Amino acid sequence: GHVVRNWKVRWFVLLQDKLLYYKIEGGKKEPSPKGRILLDGCTITCPCLEYENRPLLIKLKTKTNTDYFLECCSREERDSWALDITGAIHAGHPVQVQELHKMKNSFKLLDNISLHHIVEKMCDSSTGIKLTRNLEQGNRYKETFTGSALVDWLISSSFAVSRFEAVTLASMLMEENFIKPVGNRSTVATRCTDLSEQFLDDSTALYMFAESSRKSTSSKEEPQFNISELSGTIVKQGFLVKQGHKRKNWKVRRFVLRADPAFLHYYDPTKEENRPVGGFSLRGCLVSALEDNGVPAGVKGNVQGNLFKIITKNDIHYYIQASSKAERVQWIEAIKPLT
């Protein structure tokens, strides 16, 4: 409400240029609308985390700077309304609507992302993620957060633009032991071989900060790289998922492709220092796309496709997953001329 800041149930109808809301009496909506929200010039915020105990909010700000807070019944309903309202706001711009639908399932993480920075922001007492006590199957957990709450927070904090991206980031945080699952629902999911299914965007899946996220990372012997191989011109860079050589698990790495000299290096996004954790010369390498129907020999886990392989002149095999077929083609076409 605008005068008394209470919450009331209203029946909403979305039209092309406005959002009408009606009072409900006796389980039926009244014939005339109680009010309307003009969508021309509106801005929408979803998820809106301004009310700590109301995670299912959409915020609409009209061009006259009036704020409307709308609470939905579920996360799915909230996101569906937000997408449709956003489409109505930009209805006169079909290209923009197409871009919005693409963004819903987008995968374009920031190249300079730092998981340390994300965790630091998560722990902030005023703007960080809200920690709560939770009870599950008789166990009481302190200082936890749900999977959907983390996804909402990552989007509202501008670390991701879609739920798909936010789940990828959250999976990276868990894979690198910054957060850990607690309770049956989230723990069972970690047994999935596919990295994208190990973290749950769910309001019943519980997580908490791992102890290791507050400790400095253990000092391991780091690979040494010649300064000359890191001085080449950067041709392409971005996030890909790479299979490890020892444990055969899949980890998100930031890849940097350089020319003159031709090298491909990969970086651990959990480390603040800008040093590669691996890399190799592309001279004499073979690069090829792998079929999506079946898992090739040498690959472990539930591969979702978009896989390609690089074989070095020393016969070392690297298996890498892109986020889409188009991205796989782009990487292969960028690497081939340098081999």
Side-chain angles (χ1 to χ4, degrees), residues 174-185:
M174 191 168 65
E175 177 75 8
E176 301 300 339
N177 206 30
F178 284 103
I179 63 173
K180 65 179 182 181
V182 289
N184 187 59
R185 182 91 171 85

Side-chain angles (χ1 to χ4, degrees), residues 144-160:
T144 62
F145 46 86
T146 66
S148 58
L150 177 54
V151 170
D152 283 351
W153 182 87
L154 288 168
I155 294 171
S156 67
S157 302
S158 301
F159 288 114

Side-chain angles (χ1 to χ4, degrees), residues 99-111:
E99 289 301 316
L100 289 165
H101 281 276
K102 284 181 187 176
M103 189 185 292
K104 187 182 177 186
N105 294 308
S106 69
F107 185 89
K108 186 175 175 58
L109 296 175
L110 298 172
D111 287 336

Side-chain angles (χ1 to χ4, degrees), residues 87-151:
I89 291 172
H90 299 288
H93 309 278
V95 175
Q96 212 164 356
V97 174
Q98 281 184 337
E99 289 301 316
L100 289 165
H101 281 276
K102 284 181 187 176
M103 189 185 292
K104 187 182 177 186
N105 294 308
S106 69
F107 185 89
K108 186 175 175 58
L109 296 175
L110 298 172
D111 287 336
N112 59 348
I113 203 158
S114 163
L115 296 189
H116 283 281
H117 176 62
I118 292 175
V119 173
E120 197 175 277
K121 292 292 185 184
M122 283 176 68
C123 294
D124 188 281
S125 58
S126 58
T127 60
I129 193 163
K130 304 304 177 188
L131 303 177
T132 59
R133 293 171 179 266
N134 279 283
L135 186 68
E136 187 192 88
Q137 296 180 341
N139 295 315
R140 185 175 294 278
Y141 300 103
K142 296 180 180 179
E143 297 190 329
T144 62
F145 46 86
T146 66
S148 58
L150 177 54
V151 170

